[in-house]
């Protein structure tokens, strides 16, 4: 098993808290795939693409960490998820999936299909995770590594990969918006 930095753990805790829509310190499939979570912000076709990506992500990275509560609900706690994540994040399958996830997500976020993501399009993507427009602007500027005012497919894919694999602060650390250190 690889060693993961304190920074990496805090970054993933912040990501986990963005998925926890009811703020009960646990996530469920319904938190991640709540009906309309993406459709009320993105066009229906793009929302369907993003929902399919998140469905696969749930099955690969969250479902293995599910535990069943006495009331029958299946939940994932951060501690349970992070132990699974430490074991699977550096596998070849995960690396390949991450590239596919980022590429498919790029297509869903690129609403006007012009091959680049504008700051507005990126803000809509992060809005699905409860990130404010001001916070999404910070994230957009971090991912726009060549400072041309747009995020290219490669910048998006690099950012998605680096979010999961960089153990210290990098532009990719902002892929899902600025992180909350107290999350």
């Amino acid at each position: 098993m690889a060693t993961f930095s304190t920074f990496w753990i805090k970054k993933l805790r912040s990501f986990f808290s963005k998925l926890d829509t009811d703020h009960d310190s646990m996530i469920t499939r319904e938190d991640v795939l709540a009906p309309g979570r993406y459709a009320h912000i993105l066009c229906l076709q793009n929302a369907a693409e993003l929902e399919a990506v998140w469905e696969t992500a749930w099955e690969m990275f969250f479902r293995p960490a599910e535990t069943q509560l006495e009331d029958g609900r299946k939940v994932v706690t951060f501690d349970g998820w992070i132990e699974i994540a430490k074991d699977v994040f550096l596998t070849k399958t995960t690396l390949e999936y991450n590239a596919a996830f980022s590429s498919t997500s790029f297509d869903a976020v690129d609403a006007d299909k012009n091959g680049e993501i504008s700051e507005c399009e990126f803000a809509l993507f992060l809005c699905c995770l409860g990130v404010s427009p001001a916070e999404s602007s910070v994230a957009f500027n971090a991912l726009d590594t060549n400072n041309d005012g747009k995020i290219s497919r490669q910048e998006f894919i690099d950012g998605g990969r680096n979010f999961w694999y960089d153990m210290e602060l990098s532009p990719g650390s902002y892929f899902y918006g600025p992180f909350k250190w107290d999350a």
Side-chain angles (χ1 to χ4, degrees):
M1 177 171 60
T3 302
F4 295 94
S5 70
T6 301
F7 170 81
W8 186 83
I9 301 279
K10 287 182 178 184
K11 177 175 59 171
L12 266 60
R13 183 176 297 280
S14 178
F15 169 75
F16 186 92
S17 72
K18 289 175 183 169
L19 297 178
D20 181 15
T21 57
D22 57 5
H23 310 291
D24 63 356
S25 299
M26 300 177 284
I27 60 172
T28 63
R29 184 179 181 284
E30 290 72 29
D31 282 331
V32 175
L33 297 164
R37 180 175 190 156
Y38 309 103
H40 79 282
I41 296 167
L42 303 172
C43 76
L44 291 178
Q45 178 183 347
N46 293 16
E49 291 172 14
L50 208 50
E51 286 171 2
V53 168
W54 279 102
E55 175 71 42
T56 302
W58 177 264
E59 292 301 318
M60 287 182 72
F61 303 112
F62 294 97
R63 190 166 187 222
E66 277 183 339
T67 58
Q68 189 163 346
L69 300 179
E70 289 180 13
D71 64 7
R73 290 184 305 140
K74 293 181 179 177
V75 301
V76 176
T77 64
F78 179 76
D79 291 337
W81 176 64
I82 203 68
E83 287 309 310
I84 297 291
K86 288 178 179 178
D87 290 336
V88 301
F89 273 25
L90 298 179
T91 67
K92 183 178 182 199
T93 301
T94 302
L95 291 167
E96 291 169 354
Y97 172 74
N98 186 278
F101 176 92
S102 295
S103 184
T104 302
S105 295
F106 180 91
D107 293 337
V109 176
D110 179 16
D112 62 9
K113 305 300 182 199
N114 68 350
E116 57 196 29
I117 295 174
S118 69
E119 188 167 350
C120 181
E121 289 169 327
F122 192 69
L124 289 174
F125 166 62
L126 290 185
C127 185
C128 297
L129 297 172
V131 177
S132 74
E135 291 174 317
S136 69
S137 182
V138 171
F140 179 88
N141 290 326
L143 291 174
D144 178 18
T145 57
N146 66 0
N147 300 309
D148 65 355
K150 55 192 174 245
I151 297 174
S152 69
R153 178 179 291 276
Q154 193 60 54
E155 286 172 322
F156 193 84
I157 290 170
D158 290 347
R161 179 193 60 241
N162 294 341
F163 177 84
W164 298 107
Y165 299 107
D166 286 356
M167 295 297 138
E168 301 302 329
L169 184 63
S170 72
S173 301
Y174 294 89
F175 189 77
Y176 293 104
F179 25 94
K180 312 254 188 276
W181 289 109
D182 58 348

